[in-house]
Amino acid sequence: GFTHSYIRNGYEWDVGVHYIGDVGVKTTLARRLFDFISNNELQWQAMDSTYDRIYLGEDSFDLVAGRNNLRDNLLKRFPEEKAAIDEYLFRLGKVADAMQHFTVERMLPSFMAKASRLVRERTMPDYFNRPTRQVLEELTSNQKLIAFLTGQWGDNGMPPAQSSFLIHALIAKHYLYGGYYPVGGASRMAETIIPQIQKNGGEVFTYAAVERVLIEQGKAVGVRMKDGTDVHAPIVISNAGVFNTFNRLVPSELVDKTSYARRLNKVRPSMANLSLYIGLQDTSENLKLPKTNLWIYPSERYEQDIDKFMDDPEQDFPLVYISFPSAKDPTFNERYPNRSTIEIVAPCPWEWVEQWADKPWGKRGDDYEALKERFAQRLLEKLYEKLPHLRGKIDYYELATPLSTQFFCWYAKGEIYGLDHDPQRFEQNWLRPKTEIEGLYLTGQDIMTCGVVGAMIGGLMTAVTIGGVKALPLAKKIFVG
């Protein structure tokens, strides 16, 4: 998935693991999960205490590690908003507490889940699954404060007027104590996890495309590979996402007999993006590359800026995210001496590149390459605005569009977060590990939330659902410690 890295022209970039939260101490759920699946081999490096810097035009605000540190920073900037800031931080915790009930509910049998939902709806806060902007505007009318608090909206792909406060709160709390990067780069995730899979009798195959799920008498019994090989198994688990699973992998005649054909209309694919990968022939230290992510917005009017961009791609990017992976990884200079890397991410609707979707990767024509170059130059200018000393020092760059995401990660419209994280998505009780089709289970970011940790928790949910009572000791070990 998006945890892989790739190497080109003597540089290495991650493609999705820009930073991870909640792994600074061994007692968090995220850290316990990573330690469990990597046998404690995966190590973490803290970013700067200012892990994210939010720019609104010429104005900026630093998100700093630590709840009290963040509170103090907010109060310095907005002293008149003390009540709103304290209530906001309180609500982050309340949503996290309610989310535990929500997560367990998705693992229960359907009849028990219905009863659980009734209890949850009576006890959870009324702001749990309402639009983020709506919830924050109940606390304050200060639009700049709201913009700084929601400046990480790119981490779920939806601006605050559209996203559920649930996903906003989970992400904000996830990074409350800072950002971390895997020592050795994103590829260390696979390198440390695969041996544990093999040790327990499993195996991992790459470049092995699944053509469809094999169904016999209404039950999933295995998969057919693209080369025609059939692999039989008592259980099939799909982490390809619900659209791929039910529109491409499960036979349509079976899907039509279930409720999925109707239910898929209630969710939408998430945002697609441009990614600019940059290489420089010098160390991160010499180039003064920060261990801080930069979030660059034209203004605090997120939704209006998006609308302008969607209507006219020549308008300013409504969001530009800049990450410095070589500065975050303490082993990078050992592995790639006197080299460093930068990544820039910005939105790009699938429709803007769809006309080239039927062309082969790497051979989509001069007009496509010209479009990519225009976008690349505009993104480079965003970098130079914040770090002008880098102008003239770029050795290599290449731009990926949503077509690259489609090609490498199999998402039909180049979406990077699976499903949109709006309130309606979290009302879909069918987004759970167990499907209506016997023997077929779902996992990954579509059954709960996006991101590496969201997908990993999805894996835990699926394991517990399949294991039932037998899985309870494992679940207790991971959840409780």
Side-chain angles (χ1 to χ4, degrees):
F2 288 106
T3 62
H4 73 275
S5 299
Y6 82 100
I7 299 172
R8 190 102 74 222
N9 279 40
Y11 297 97
E12 178 185 293
W13 297 274
D14 61 58
V15 299
V17 183
H18 300 126
Y19 62 152
I20 302 289
D22 235 10
V23 292
V25 294
K26 286 183 170 289
T27 55
T28 65
L29 174 59
R31 180 61 182 268
R32 287 200 299 270
L33 277 170
F34 277 121
D35 286 350
F36 176 76
I37 62 176
S38 74
N39 196 30
N40 298 297
E41 290 294 320
L42 187 60
Q43 302 300 310
W44 300 94
Q45 176 67 39
M47 295 167 60
D48 281 349
S49 58
T50 296
Y51 57 92
D52 276 338
R53 179 166 295 135
I54 314 297
Y55 287 93
L56 305 176
E58 297 301 316
D59 199 0
S60 68
F61 182 79
D62 289 347
L63 298 183
V64 292
R67 184 185 187 278
N68 291 336
N69 294 333
L70 176 62
R71 179 180 182 273
D72 291 345
N73 224 27
L74 287 166
L75 288 174
K76 285 179 187 176
R77 182 65 186 272
F78 303 98
E80 73 286 357
E81 297 287 348
K82 179 180 181 299
I85 291 166
D86 285 344
E87 177 63 17
Y88 167 76
L89 293 170
F90 172 77
R91 290 188 178 193
L92 296 187
K94 290 294 288 184
V95 168
D97 293 342
M99 196 66 190
Q100 295 179 22
H101 190 154
F102 189 77
T103 303
V104 171
E105 185 180 296
R106 295 295 170 97
M107 296 185 282
L108 296 173
S110 296
F111 72 95
M112 293 178 66
K114 289 179 181 177
S116 173
R117 184 178 183 182
L118 290 174
V119 173
R120 173 172 58 82
E121 288 177 343
R122 290 178 180 176
T123 58
M124 71 180 182
D126 64 352
Y127 48 79
F128 181 71
N129 190 32
R130 282 167 43 213
T132 303
R133 184 173 291 283
Q134 186 183 109
V135 171
L136 295 185
E137 286 182 343
E138 291 177 351
L139 305 182
T140 178
S141 60
N142 190 315
Q143 292 301 317
K144 186 155 283 189
L145 172 59
I146 290 173
F148 284 136
L149 292 177
T150 58
Q152 298 165 307
W153 67 259
D155 280 336
N156 72 77
M158 300 197 83
Q162 299 172 13
S163 67
S164 169
F165 186 68
L166 183 162
I167 188 63
H168 166 80
L170 290 179
I171 290 172
K173 193 170 187 299
H174 180 70
Y175 292 114
L176 201 55
Y177 292 92
Y180 294 80
Y181 193 77
V183 175
S187 61
R188 281 294 293 163
M189 291 184 168
E191 290 170 6
T192 56
I193 293 168
I194 288 173
Q196 309 317 309
I197 296 172
Q198 294 170 328
K199 188 173 72 174
N200 286 279
E203 192 49 271
V204 177
F205 299 93
T206 58
Y207 299 98
V210 173
E211 192 75 20
R212 73 171 187 265
V213 175
L214 296 174
I215 303 292
E216 292 181 5
Q217 298 179 337
K219 183 181 186 300
V221 295
V223 295
R224 175 159 295 164
M225 310 303 290
K226 191 174 182 179
D227 67 359
T229 302
D230 286 352
V231 180
H232 288 81
I235 288 173
V236 176
I237 305 169
S238 173
N239 75 336
V242 295
F243 287 119
N244 280 328
T245 300
F246 297 114
N247 288 337
R248 302 173 68 174
L249 294 176
V250 177
S252 58
E253 59 270 20
L254 178 59
V255 174
D256 291 341
K257 294 178 182 178
T258 69
S259 64
Y260 294 116
R262 167 177 51 84
R263 286 171 163 174
L264 288 175
N265 293 324
K266 295 183 178 295
V267 290
R268 297 188 304 268
S270 60
M271 71 175 284
N273 73 296
L274 304 168
S275 291
L276 185 65
Y277 301 98
I278 300 168
L280 305 95
Q281 288 188 339
D282 204 345
T283 66
S284 297
E285 185 178 6
N286 288 344
L287 292 169
K288 297 182 174 58
L289 300 185
K291 298 176 185 177
T292 299
N293 304 316
L294 309 183
W295 296 88
I296 304 169
Y297 301 98
S299 74
E300 68 265 29
R301 299 181 298 274
Y302 294 149
E303 292 81 11
Q304 293 92 321
D305 291 334
I306 291 172
D307 289 342
K308 289 179 185 176
F309 184 65
M310 295 303 183
D311 290 339
D312 178 8
E314 298 304 319
Q315 292 288 322
D316 199 359
F317 286 106
L319 158 64
V320 174
Y321 170 84
I322 305 181
S323 171
F324 306 90
S326 61
K328 300 175 192 177
D329 177 13
T331 72
F332 192 90
N333 199 46
E334 300 170 21
R335 298 183 295 122
Y336 299 94
N338 298 312
R339 299 211 167 203
S340 54
T341 55
I342 301 171
E343 296 170 21
I344 307 179
V345 180
C348 177
W350 166 256
E351 291 73 19
W352 291 0
V353 295
E354 185 177 13
Q355 62 180 297
W356 295 283
D358 60 344
K359 304 285 179 64
W361 179 77
K363 299 178 181 178
R364 295 191 170 112
D366 292 343
D367 50 351
Y368 177 69
E369 294 300 324
L371 176 72
K372 288 174 60 177
E373 181 61 17
R374 289 198 300 274
F375 277 132
Q377 290 301 323
R378 290 173 60 188
L379 292 174
L380 285 171
E381 287 302 317
K382 289 292 183 182
L383 173 67
Y384 301 146
E385 285 176 13
K386 304 306 177 190
L387 299 174
H389 65 282
L390 297 181
R391 189 181 292 275
K393 296 185 179 180
I394 306 296
D395 173 53
Y396 177 81
Y397 65 87
E398 67 175 72
L399 185 86
T401 75
L403 294 179
S404 299
T405 307
Q406 182 206 46
F407 181 81
F408 288 105
C409 297
W410 223 49
Y411 278 120
K413 293 191 174 183
E415 62 268 32
I416 57 174
Y417 293 127
L419 304 176
D420 263 347
H421 288 66
D422 57 3
Q424 178 164 294
R425 176 250 176 89
F426 292 105
E427 293 298 324
Q428 307 307 309
N429 293 325
W430 58 275
L431 293 175
R432 55 175 54 241
K434 185 173 176 57
T435 74
E436 296 176 26
I437 300 168
E438 186 182 354
L440 178 64
Y441 291 80
L442 303 174
T443 197
Q445 63 181 351
D446 279 4
I447 64 168
M448 188 50 63
T449 61
C450 62
V452 175
V453 174
M456 186 168 60
I457 290 174
L460 174 62
M461 292 169 62
T462 303
V464 172
T465 301
I466 293 171
V469 174
K470 294 180 181 179
L472 291 179
L474 172 62
K476 182 180 179 182
K477 178 181 178 181
I478 295 173
F479 275 112
V480 181

